[in-house]
Amino acid sequence: MYSLITEHIELDREQRHVRKDGEDVHLTGLEYGLLEYLTAHPNRICTRQELLDHVWGDRFLYDTGTIDVHLNALRRKMGWGVKMPIQAVRGVGFIFRIERTVTQHTIDLHTFLAEWLQSHEVEIASAGLVPQMNLTPFINEITIEPKALKKLLDSVLATFLPNAKPGVLKLTSRLTMHHFYLSLDINGTTNELSVPLG
């Protein structure tokens, strides 16, 4: 399941796949590991040793210069030009910068989901499903690009609706320290979307 990292980048952490603007980007295991770790800690400096420990796993077998080689390859494959989100911090490490004002937007979650369900009312009813929402009470607004969230929800629905049996379509949410989770449960088959916070 793909998670939205920025308005342009999605990661499937289980399959270790990356998409940029909806297109697959083929990365090596180390390139993917660097991207995954840096995006999991946005706007925070990650030291070279930290990257070696978490991506390579054995600090004694690698020189820190190997990070630069793999990051340069990652930048090239992602098509990042002058304004690339991964920046070097001289003598310390690297930082994955996300500009909130550009990449994310605040939406009223309850209203957004109610409108999304209404837009799919006919196909949901045709499958014999009754929609229910059970949102975490203290989550009313979430910062995410609405078109991207709609695209993710549409994709999950299109995948699982054709084989659904009559029953209940449940939309539930939960919040942790670093992520917001939105789950679609169709007759016990749960699909969870993860949105990083921070």
Side-chain angles (χ1 to χ4, degrees):
M1 178 67 62
Y2 281 93
S3 300
L4 194 67
I5 303 302
T6 72
E7 153 176 44
H8 300 286
I9 302 170
E10 299 168 276
L11 292 186
D12 182 337
R13 296 182 192 276
E14 289 183 12
Q15 300 295 321
R16 294 175 67 83
H17 291 166
V18 180
R19 286 195 303 223
K20 183 183 177 194
D21 296 323
E23 298 289 325
D24 290 334
V25 179
H26 301 287
L27 303 178
T28 66
L30 290 172
E31 291 162 1
Y32 175 85
L34 284 168
L35 181 63
E36 180 183 51
Y37 191 80
L38 288 165
T39 58
H41 304 87
N43 298 323
R44 174 174 85 71
I45 296 172
C46 297
T47 68
R48 288 176 174 273
Q49 191 61 59
E50 182 181 351
L51 291 171
L52 286 174
D53 291 345
H54 289 276
V55 178
W56 274 259
D58 189 339
R59 72 185 83 182
F60 302 110
L61 294 180
Y62 300 97
D63 182 276
T64 58
T66 195
I67 295 174
D68 299 277
V69 173
H70 289 87
L71 275 178
N72 286 335
L74 173 62
R75 288 169 175 153
R76 189 173 59 255
K77 289 180 181 181
M78 293 298 290
W80 287 327
V82 178
K83 290 189 70 177
M84 51 195 162
I86 298 177
Q87 298 169 1
V89 180
R90 187 180 297 273
V92 183
F94 300 89
I95 186 168
F96 185 85
R97 294 197 185 278
I98 297 179
E99 299 296 335
R100 299 296 177 196
T101 56
V102 174
T103 62
Q104 305 213 352
H105 309 272
T106 301
I107 61 173
D108 178 321
L109 188 62
H110 190 275
T111 302
F112 176 88
L113 292 175
E115 290 175 354
W116 179 78
L117 285 171
Q118 186 176 14
S119 71
H120 293 285
E121 186 176 13
V122 173
E123 54 196 300
I124 291 171
S126 296
L129 294 168
V130 177
Q132 292 180 355
M133 280 199 292
N134 182 21
L135 304 183
T136 305
F138 51 87
I139 299 176
N140 184 44
E141 292 186 338
I142 182 168
T143 305
I144 186 173
E145 208 284 317
K147 288 181 184 176
L149 181 57
K150 181 183 182 304
K151 183 179 173 184
L152 287 171
L153 289 168
D154 288 349
S155 174
V156 171
L157 195 66
T159 300
F160 292 94
L161 199 59
N163 299 318
K165 297 176 182 174
V168 178
L169 167 65
K170 296 179 185 175
L171 280 168
T172 59
S173 67
R174 65 186 176 91
L175 188 65
T176 66
M177 186 178 268
H178 301 292
H179 287 82
F180 164 76
Y181 297 92
L182 181 64
S183 298
L184 280 80
D185 182 304
I186 301 177
N187 294 326
T189 301
T190 303
N191 301 276
E192 189 168 68
L193 307 177
S194 169
V195 181
L197 302 174

